Amino acid sequence: MSTGAVGVAYGVATLLMMFTGMPIAFALGATAVLFMLALMPAAALDIVTRNVYVEMASITLLSIPLFILKGAAIGRTRAAADLYGAVHAWMNRVPGGLGIANVFACALFAAMAGSSPATCSAIGSAGIPEMRARGYSAGFAAGIISAGGILGILLPPSITMIIFAVVAEQSLGRLFLAGVGPGLVLVALFCGYCAWRYRLEFRRARDASGRHGAKSALLDREPVTMAQRFRLLPRVLPFLLLLTGVMIALYGGFATPSETGGLGGLLALILVGVIYGIWRPAQIAPILMATLRESTMLMLIIGMSLLYAYVMSFLHISQSTAQWIVELHLSRWLLLAMILLMVVVLGFFLPPVSIILMTAPVILPPLRTAGFDLIWFGVVMTIVMEMGLIHPPVGLNIFVIRSVAPDIPLREIVLGVLPFVALMTLAVILLCLAPQIATAVPDAILGVRLS
């Protein structure tokens, strides 16, 4: 059987496994094992376990459960609600300030937790009811939280970026820093849209009130005193200092990513113990169990994806596909557009971790040959994969919002997130036109790369 036929069979078998409803990790693992037994010699099978173990033993991957621990410690307390309350109080006088406060709260929480679903759940449980009570439409409120949640895999520390750095063999610190500029661009675009949309809904509410006497909560302004604003800071500042300290430790060269993750997790546990009184074993157990569940799920997906990629490589599927793409002699930007379109389609069905591990062996060699900076591409790919978290048919964040606010119809949630998908597409275009948005910060802090 030719390599092309084997590759097609491998892809079809993967899709069939996934359509059975089997968890992604088991679908990838089962496909790999079947093709190993059918097409690989027995001698090759003996080294598979060792190769996967060696890949899984990466010191960089060790940072994943440690960062998850930090996020779980913060996400399972009132830290998210306190953070949201403080940002809301300080943004109270800005037009659309409540929506903008939710974007900022999502960005700050995402930077501390590193998880998109956790950000949606933590901020959405407080933010969506508050926005709806203040007159924001249900779809608009849901869209803000869904889009704000995706910042969790772009702003450091990002588990998705950790995995990309490992498979692309790139500097994790540089990749983390490259996400800062685009992350701020997305925050600015989201906030600008929130302000514009608020003014639009405010005018509609005012006109309806003038014509029909219909009263909207949007027209009510509730003042917040300076004393109230400062009263909300003491519980929030320690976590912001934690975020700052972890970033300084990582980028100042004082600690490796794994050491930084361990430091962040330990300090987060100490802070929730001191501030919220969570120190008894019965209180800490849910945090540790949540960390264990999410870490086990991710590491299982990573392990099975590595096995899947190893079989692809052994059967020369990934090499032949990459060579075929190169031999098409596409212009570099058309090549990039095709690859990103493939990532968008995969985002309909797969989470970012699986997309990276499944496609890296195929797409990275042609991109490297075309002269693209893989650090820059890692950021662009992350933003495109973020879209998969908020657009149908899967859209993980959409279903998180459904669990937080089950009374909001799915149609309204989808319509609410579509403008944010358009803004993310605009951000990708800006990154293509001005790569310095991503590369300027790491170049300034770590120095310009020679290669």
Side-chain angles (χ1 to χ4, degrees):
M1 187 182 294
S2 68
T3 303
V6 173
V8 171
Y10 201 60
V12 171
T14 304
L15 290 175
L16 290 176
M17 286 290 184
M18 289 182 176
F19 287 150
T20 64
M22 189 184 301
I24 289 172
F26 296 129
L28 297 178
T31 303
V33 169
L34 287 175
F35 276 76
M36 284 164 51
L37 295 174
L39 300 174
M40 291 173 61
L45 302 182
D46 295 337
I47 64 172
V48 168
T49 304
R50 185 182 65 200
N51 285 358
V52 172
Y53 171 78
V54 169
E55 294 288 345
M56 290 284 290
S58 165
I59 193 67
T60 305
L61 289 179
L62 176 62
S63 61
I64 291 177
L66 298 174
F67 281 124
I68 289 174
L69 173 62
K70 179 167 74 78
I74 295 170
R76 297 211 162 231
T77 65
R78 280 194 50 78
D82 289 342
L83 175 65
Y84 167 73
V87 175
H88 174 209
W90 284 89
M91 301 295 296
N92 182 260
R93 297 183 65 85
V94 178
L98 183 55
I100 295 173
N102 278 280
V103 173
F104 275 114
C106 284
L108 291 171
F109 187 85
M112 290 188 283
S115 169
S116 181
T119 301
C120 274
S121 178
I123 302 300
S125 59
I128 290 179
E130 184 74 9
M131 283 189 283
R132 297 179 71 185
R134 301 296 179 89
Y136 283 64
S137 64
F140 183 30
I144 290 172
I145 300 299
S146 297
I150 55 92
L151 298 170
I153 68 170
L154 182 62
L155 294 171
S158 163
I159 293 169
T160 301
M161 284 189 168
I162 292 172
I163 295 169
F164 183 88
V166 171
V167 299
E169 300 178 344
Q170 299 294 312
S171 164
L172 178 59
R174 186 175 287 273
L175 188 59
F176 273 177
L177 285 173
V180 172
L184 295 177
V185 168
L186 281 178
V187 170
L189 289 174
F190 290 173
C191 290
Y193 172 73
C194 287
W196 174 83
R197 176 68 179 269
Y198 171 83
R199 289 179 180 275
L200 180 65
E201 293 200 355
F202 182 85
R203 284 198 299 269
R204 288 174 178 171
R206 186 182 56 195
D207 293 344
S209 176
R211 286 196 302 267
H212 313 295
K215 190 65 175 175
S216 170
L218 274 178
L219 304 178
D220 298 329
R221 293 286 181 91
E222 191 174 306
V224 178
T225 66
M226 193 60 68
Q228 289 174 313
R229 290 173 179 157
F230 280 103
R231 198 180 303 128
L232 293 168
L233 291 181
R235 285 193 171 189
V236 175
L237 285 178
F239 291 100
L240 297 181
L241 292 175
L242 167 62
L243 172 63
T244 304
V246 166
M247 292 298 103
I248 291 174
L250 178 61
Y251 299 121
F254 301 108
T256 65
S258 299
E259 292 167 345
T260 303
L263 175 66
L266 178 61
L267 291 179
L269 287 174
I270 293 173
L271 284 179
V272 298
V274 172
I275 297 174
Y276 298 100
I278 298 176
W279 54 269
R280 296 181 180 85
Q283 295 172 310
I284 295 177
I287 294 175
L288 299 180
M289 287 301 297
T291 302
L292 184 62
R293 279 196 301 269
E294 188 170 349
S295 300
T296 302
M297 177 191 70
L298 274 174
M299 297 307 285
L300 189 59
I301 291 175
I302 292 169
M304 292 300 99
S305 297
L306 289 171
L307 175 61
Y308 184 87
Y310 174 79
V311 174
M312 281 182 67
S313 177
F314 188 92
L315 298 176
H316 295 282
I317 297 171
S318 54
Q319 298 94 320
S320 299
T321 306
Q323 184 62 32
W324 175 74
I325 294 174
V326 170
E327 289 176 353
L328 290 175
H329 300 296
L330 302 172
S331 68
R332 61 198 306 262
W333 293 108
L334 182 57
L335 170 66
L336 178 68
M338 287 182 60
I339 288 174
L340 293 181
L341 180 60
M342 178 183 70
V343 172
V344 169
V345 173
L346 290 175
F348 291 161
F349 313 101
L350 298 173
V353 172
S354 297
I355 294 174
I356 291 173
L357 292 168
M358 288 175 62
T359 61
V362 174
I363 66 176
L364 294 184
L367 287 169
R368 193 179 282 113
T369 302
F372 283 106
D373 182 346
L374 293 188
I375 292 289
W376 171 85
F377 174 74
V379 175
V380 173
M381 184 177 182
T382 299
I383 295 175
V384 173
M385 289 187 296
E386 284 177 331
M387 295 182 192
L389 294 174
I390 61 173
H391 66 55
V394 178
L396 177 60
N397 283 10
I398 292 176
F399 294 101
V400 173
I401 295 300
R402 283 281 288 170
S403 66
V404 171
D407 60 317
I408 301 180
L410 183 60
R411 180 177 179 275
E412 287 193 33
I413 298 176
V414 171
L415 291 176
V417 301
L418 288 180
F420 293 95
V421 173
L423 292 174
M424 293 170 71
T425 304
L426 175 61
V428 170
I429 295 172
L430 291 175
L431 275 170
C432 292
L433 296 175
Q436 298 81 6
I437 296 173
T439 59
V441 174
D443 286 348
I445 296 178
L446 301 178
V448 178
R449 292 195 303 174
L450 298 179
S451 58

